[in-house]
Amino acid sequence: MWLALDSSCLTLSLALVTPGRALVEHVLVPPPTKQSDALPGLVGELLSRHGLTVQALEGLVCGLGPGSFTGLRIGLSCLKGLAYALKVPLVGVSSLKALASEGPEDTELWCAAVVKKNELYLGRFLRRGDQLEALADETSLPLDAFAERLAAAPSAKVLGPAVPEYRAALLERGVAPQQVLEAPTVPSAVALTRLAVWPKTYDAQAVFALEPHYLRGSGAEENPKFPPLPGVEAKARLLSTQAKDP
């Protein structure tokens, strides 16, 4: 069995699939449940419902964001611990790419997640069947700039975790109602399993090297009240714009 999870937004997505990628069960856990409290127990309960233990896991897939710094660290830390203990492969997939894989075909898809108040993460994709084309590097934009660019691309559609919170604000800034999709609003762990390229063997160095898609520094790292130590860059470990999903 393969276990996949995405914790990049407030709703946790957890999926169990066969090595042939057939879905066994998909679980969504919305707030107010705290992912840090619930995640280990949820994994155990999911496996138990199907008469399995963690020893049945042959591989793991993690949504890498961008999204909540805390959520991403919780999810990836959990799976890294399992991968190391079980000596099974762990791979990561962009959470925005997972959203795009469930959006409409032949449409420019603006996959949006929340950075902080009035700032959004953006991934732009075009889906043709099972094929996804990245139209630009993932980035973050202030809300006003995001809305201005989206309104200037009337055939594009926006979707993702940022939509429920920012739908009204986007419409107020000139985005047409038909550009704002109601779903999906959560990166699906099932979609992650469809996009992942699964390695055949465990590679400890690959597991340890896997990092979330940090496109910017965290609020704490950018707080001028707490300057970095001499010689230490005031940024999180950022995703290189040249890096590609496995």
Side-chain angles (χ1 to χ4, degrees):
M1 292 290 179
W2 278 71
L3 178 74
L5 72 82
D6 190 283
S7 56
S8 64
C9 65
L10 293 178
T11 295
L12 174 71
S13 178
L14 188 66
L16 187 66
V17 301
T18 69
R21 309 196 192 213
L23 177 62
V24 177
E25 186 177 350
H26 180 211
V27 179
L28 289 174
V29 184
T33 300
K34 291 182 63 176
Q35 296 180 10
S36 57
D37 293 339
L39 186 52
L42 289 169
V43 171
E45 291 167 8
L46 173 61
L47 293 168
S48 179
R49 283 196 294 274
H50 300 279
L52 303 171
T53 66
V54 291
Q55 283 69 34
L57 295 176
E58 302 168 65
L60 307 163
V61 186
C62 188
L64 297 180
S68 162
F69 279 79
T70 301
L72 291 171
R73 288 165 178 159
I74 290 168
L76 188 55
S77 296
C78 176
L79 291 192
K80 279 189 174 186
L82 283 173
Y84 179 72
L86 298 171
K87 300 297 184 288
V88 298
L90 168 63
V91 295
V93 177
S94 162
S95 301
L96 299 183
K97 189 174 183 181
L99 283 165
S101 73
E102 298 191 313
E105 293 187 61
D106 301 318
T107 299
E108 183 175 341
L109 301 172
W110 288 42
C111 301
V114 176
V115 180
K116 58 183 180 180
K117 185 174 177 60
N118 292 329
E119 186 175 353
L120 306 178
Y121 288 118
L122 169 63
R124 293 171 51 215
F125 299 91
L126 181 66
R127 183 171 81 85
R128 294 187 177 94
D130 294 333
Q131 301 301 311
L132 276 174
E133 177 188 354
L135 302 177
D137 291 329
E138 294 175 357
T139 188
S140 63
L141 289 171
L143 174 61
D144 288 342
F146 185 102
E148 180 181 0
R149 297 184 189 185
L150 180 57
S155 63
K157 312 286 187 184
V158 62
L159 65 158
V163 169
E165 183 174 347
Y166 285 97
R167 177 185 177 89
L170 291 171
L171 297 181
E172 289 171 0
R173 288 163 172 78
V175 175
Q178 63 269 24
Q179 289 185 268
V180 184
L181 301 182
E182 298 294 336
T185 58
V186 176
S188 165
V190 180
L192 296 178
T193 66
R194 293 196 295 261
L195 295 171
V197 178
W198 296 350
K200 297 182 183 300
T201 59
Y202 169 73
D203 181 342
Q205 292 304 313
V207 169
F208 298 146
L210 195 61
E211 293 287 345
H213 286 188
Y214 294 131
L215 300 183
R216 58 188 301 284
S218 68
E221 289 165 320
E222 295 180 348
N223 190 332
K225 295 182 179 179
F226 303 99
L229 296 173
V232 179
E233 186 181 4
K235 294 288 181 183
R237 289 166 288 183
L238 302 179
L239 172 72
S240 167
T241 57
Q242 302 301 315
K244 303 295 182 183
D245 289 324

